[in-house]
Amino acid sequence: MTHLALSRVHFPVTSLGPGRRVGVWFQGCSIRCPGCVSLDTWAMRAPETAVATLLDGLQAIAPEADGLTVSGGEPFDQPEALHALLLGWRTRHQGTVLVYSGYPYETLTPRLAVWNGLIDALITDPLRLDVPQTLPLRGSDNQRFHLFTEAGRSAFTNWDRPQPDAPPSLDVMVDAEAGTVYLAGIPRRGDMTRLAERLAAAGHRLAVTEDKSASACW
Ligand code: SF4
């Protein structure tokens, strides 16, 4: 049975692709781009979540979703688990699949060549703060968009160019049980600084943790 180091499951995510999407965040990133806001997903953890169990958990929400977005963390640092998750999603659900990776596309092509049809849209390459951020779904414009399927071209073409009416870049999620609020999405440059300043003005502090327990929220 294939296992996954899981950071979190989000639903609904509206800031990372069209519609209301299931977000699966992998735990662990070996790339560690300067300026990444997902420091909490960097730490490598033991793969303790069975992919089959995760897929069973998604069964309840996937019929309401327009697709799956996989990010993290670095999904391709756990290639067997990523493959099992995508295969399971394709077998069970209809929605489009968007995957993020900080690796250059050329590094991934041998693997992608035998994953034909599992990914509709892929965004590759590391975050670079020295490159402007004008395109949706990306932290910097060096990050390349790859559309592999007809469904991907149909659903994501408009997301591969600047959008005058930009969709929301962040979802605010509340985990009432844990008493935490967290963000999903790609902040625009300066968003986190502005958020920290506004929270500070209201007497709160914005903290970014590098390490946390794996959890799920849906
Ligand atoms: S932006 Fe993505 S690839 Fe880069 S450090 Fe953050 S999680 Fe890793």
Side-chain angles (χ1 to χ4, degrees):
M1 187 180 290
T2 308
H3 284 71
L4 163 78
L6 176 69
S7 169
R8 190 176 282 276
V9 174
H10 305 275
F11 182 76
V13 175
T14 64
S15 57
L16 292 171
R20 289 159 45 90
R21 309 181 67 78
V22 174
V24 175
W25 275 212
F26 280 46
Q27 180 65 37
C29 179
S30 61
I31 300 174
R32 308 200 165 195
C33 313
C36 171
V37 295
S38 302
L39 300 183
D40 59 309
T41 66
W42 280 13
M44 298 292 184
R45 292 188 182 280
E48 293 176 339
T49 302
V51 174
T53 304
L54 173 61
L55 286 163
D56 287 346
L58 298 182
Q59 199 74 29
I61 51 174
E64 300 173 38
D66 295 296
L68 170 70
T69 295
V70 183
S71 186
E74 172 51 52
F76 282 90
D77 280 349
Q78 302 180 65
E80 291 80 17
L82 177 60
H83 183 259
L85 173 66
L86 298 179
L87 202 54
W89 177 273
R90 274 285 187 251
T91 307
R92 300 177 188 213
H93 308 297
Q94 297 295 320
T96 54
V97 173
L98 167 65
V99 178
Y100 278 85
S101 175
Y103 286 109
Y105 177 66
E106 293 71 16
T107 305
L108 304 177
T109 45
R111 197 174 295 282
L112 292 170
V114 292
W115 287 13
N116 197 22
L118 289 185
I119 298 175
D120 295 301
L122 173 71
I123 293 176
T124 61
D125 301 288
L127 172 72
R128 283 183 48 185
L129 293 184
D130 61 326
V131 173
Q133 181 195 31
T134 66
L135 298 167
L137 299 178
R138 277 155 283 191
S140 53
D141 290 353
N142 62 297
Q143 295 177 307
R144 289 171 287 174
F145 213 128
H146 314 274
L147 299 175
F148 296 126
T149 65
E150 200 46 54
R153 283 183 280 279
S154 170
F156 287 96
T157 296
N158 287 340
W159 294 74
D160 195 24
R161 58 180 73 118
Q163 294 188 358
D165 301 317
S169 59
L170 289 172
D171 289 291
V172 179
M173 309 283 196
V174 178
D175 186 339
E177 204 169 296
T180 56
V181 177
Y182 54 95
L183 304 173
I186 313 276
R188 310 308 294 175
R189 296 279 167 84
D191 277 356
M192 301 310 286
T193 303
R194 284 188 288 276
L195 177 60
E197 287 170 354
R198 290 192 184 186
L199 286 171
H204 303 290
R205 189 171 67 87
L206 179 67
V208 178
T209 53
E210 284 201 35
D211 202 9
K212 67 175 182 58
S213 300
S215 59
C217 178
W218 47 54

